[in-house]
């Protein structure tokens, strides 16, 4: 029944928020002559808002020196976002954003087991390309049967649009896919599209319970615990066989209910 893994990118493939986006936002503030800086605790709060431009606009609402006029504010957010993305691409190309443990392994194992891969991310295409090119080379799109990013799905997570579009492009039903996410907004988006979701908690969401997930782990090479509703044993790490077992049990339980 399981035919595809649908991967989130930020926080799931890599700690891009810690190692890339936050640093690049602060560089962009400086480059545009603004005194604003996002420290780690403030950025953790701001991650509740998905989308870099949306995050900037949200923060400007509490910045006394942000433009009062809505059109000016929007233009500033667009300029800052473009500058941030330029800087993020440089950071990614420098190799300073490693893949999280187990990501390359699970991609390989799932491909060998005959599963397809897709991407469902709220990040912009340039950022996705910068990160993936660094790790998989210019041929990276050939690894994925479908790639859906911010430009394709403008209504951002927790809205399910990005996941519905990925399923559509894969020509699959929700019960044929499994999503891999790191955040509450990501889990909500995939769940609202009807997709069972493995959560690999990123740093900003460490210790959160993610009760609606199929299974939860701290990274793909660490022990994973299935949902308490599945009554299954923990696995030593995330692998394709175990995902298939949990996924089958998840859907059997739902279809029986
Ligand atoms: C990722 C995001 C993005 C990134 C920055 O969320 O919310 O906004 O923080 O990328 P998810 P952009 O992992 O749930 O997809 O600046 O390109 O928006
Ligand atoms: Mg994420």
């Amino acid at each position: 029944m399981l035919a595809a893994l649908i991967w989130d990118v930020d926080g799931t493939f890599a700690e891009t928020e810690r190692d890339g986006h936050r640093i690049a936002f602060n560089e962009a503030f400086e480059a545009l002559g603004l005194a604003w800086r996002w420290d780690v605790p403030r950025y953790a709060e701001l991650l509740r808002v998905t989308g870099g431009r949306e995050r900037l606009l949200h923060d400007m609402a509490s910045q006394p020196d942000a433009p009062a006029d809505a059109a000016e504010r929007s233009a500033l957010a667009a300029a800052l976002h473009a500058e941030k993305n330029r800087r993020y691409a440089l950071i990614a190309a420098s190799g300073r954003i490693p893949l999280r443990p187990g990501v390359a392994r699970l991609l390989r194992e799932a491909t060998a087991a005959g599963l397809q891969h897709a991407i469902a991310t709220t990040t912009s295409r340039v950022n996705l390309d910068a990160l993936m090119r660094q790790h998989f080379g210019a041929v990276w799109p050939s690894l994925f049967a479908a790639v859906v990013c911010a430009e394709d799905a403008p209504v951002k997570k927790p809205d399910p649009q990005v996941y519905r579009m990925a399923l559509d492009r894969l020509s699959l039903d929700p019960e044929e896919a499994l999503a891999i996410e790191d955040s509450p907004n990501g889990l909500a988006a995939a769940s609202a599209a009807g997709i069972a979701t493995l959560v690999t908690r990123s740093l900003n969401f460490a210790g959160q319970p993610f009760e609606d997930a199929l299974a939860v782990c701290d990274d793909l090479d660490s022990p994973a615990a299935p949902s308490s509703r599945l009554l299954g044993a923990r696995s030593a790490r995330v692998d394709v066989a175990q995902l298939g077992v949990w996924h089958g049990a998840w859907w059997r339980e739902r279809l029986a209910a």
Side-chain angles (χ1 to χ4, degrees):
M1 190 150 91
L2 179 58
L5 301 183
I6 307 183
W7 297 78
D8 168 50
V9 173
D10 291 303
T12 296
F13 264 86
E15 291 287 1
T16 53
E17 305 293 0
R18 176 194 65 185
D19 298 340
H21 290 298
R22 188 184 71 87
I23 297 164
F25 275 117
N26 284 333
E27 288 180 2
F29 295 144
E30 188 169 4
L32 272 73
L34 291 159
W36 308 341
R37 297 294 180 271
W38 288 345
D39 62 15
V40 170
R42 176 67 181 147
Y43 196 67
E45 284 168 17
L46 288 170
L47 282 176
R48 280 200 295 268
V49 181
T50 47
R53 216 182 51 83
E54 291 83 348
R55 194 168 298 141
L56 284 161
L57 285 168
H58 173 85
D59 187 62
M60 281 186 206
S62 59
Q63 293 286 5
D65 53 339
D69 176 69
E72 268 179 52
R73 207 176 262 209
S74 180
L76 178 58
L80 281 167
H81 194 229
E83 183 65 23
K84 185 277 284 183
N85 288 350
R86 265 195 295 281
R87 287 162 185 276
Y88 178 87
L90 294 175
I91 295 171
S94 75
R96 281 187 284 154
I97 314 180
L99 291 180
R100 293 186 64 198
V103 167
R105 172 187 60 78
L106 187 61
L107 268 168
R108 261 196 322 273
E109 286 177 3
T111 304
L115 298 186
Q116 290 189 300
H117 295 282
I119 283 177
T121 176
T122 63
T123 205
S124 319
R125 194 176 303 279
V126 285
N127 298 332
L128 174 65
D129 185 59
L131 184 75
M132 301 304 272
R133 189 176 280 266
Q134 166 64 20
H135 292 291
F136 303 103
V139 297
W140 75 264
S142 66
L143 300 173
F144 298 92
V147 175
V148 187
C149 55
E151 287 82 354
D152 308 304
V155 189
K156 302 208 165 146
K157 300 172 188 175
D159 190 278
Q161 186 185 51
V162 66
Y163 277 101
R164 291 202 174 124
M165 208 172 274
L167 287 172
D168 205 46
R169 292 192 185 171
L170 290 166
S171 301
L172 291 178
D173 291 324
E175 57 273 25
E176 295 174 289
L178 190 153
I180 307 182
E181 272 289 353
D182 70 298
S183 70
N185 279 329
L187 172 60
S191 302
I195 306 171
T197 305
L198 167 75
V199 173
T200 171
R201 286 187 277 234
S202 58
L203 283 176
N204 285 296
F205 306 108
Q208 296 206 19
F210 292 102
E211 268 147 17
D212 296 330
L214 169 73
V216 182
C217 60
D218 287 329
D219 66 58
L220 299 174
D221 277 347
S222 294
S227 155
S228 55
R229 293 193 294 276
L230 292 182
L231 299 171
R234 287 160 70 88
S235 76
R237 66 178 192 172
V238 175
D239 63 36
V240 180
Q242 185 63 68
L243 286 179
V245 170
W246 287 337
H247 185 263
W250 174 271
W251 282 105
R252 270 194 305 280
E253 190 213 281
R254 270 165 181 67
L255 296 175

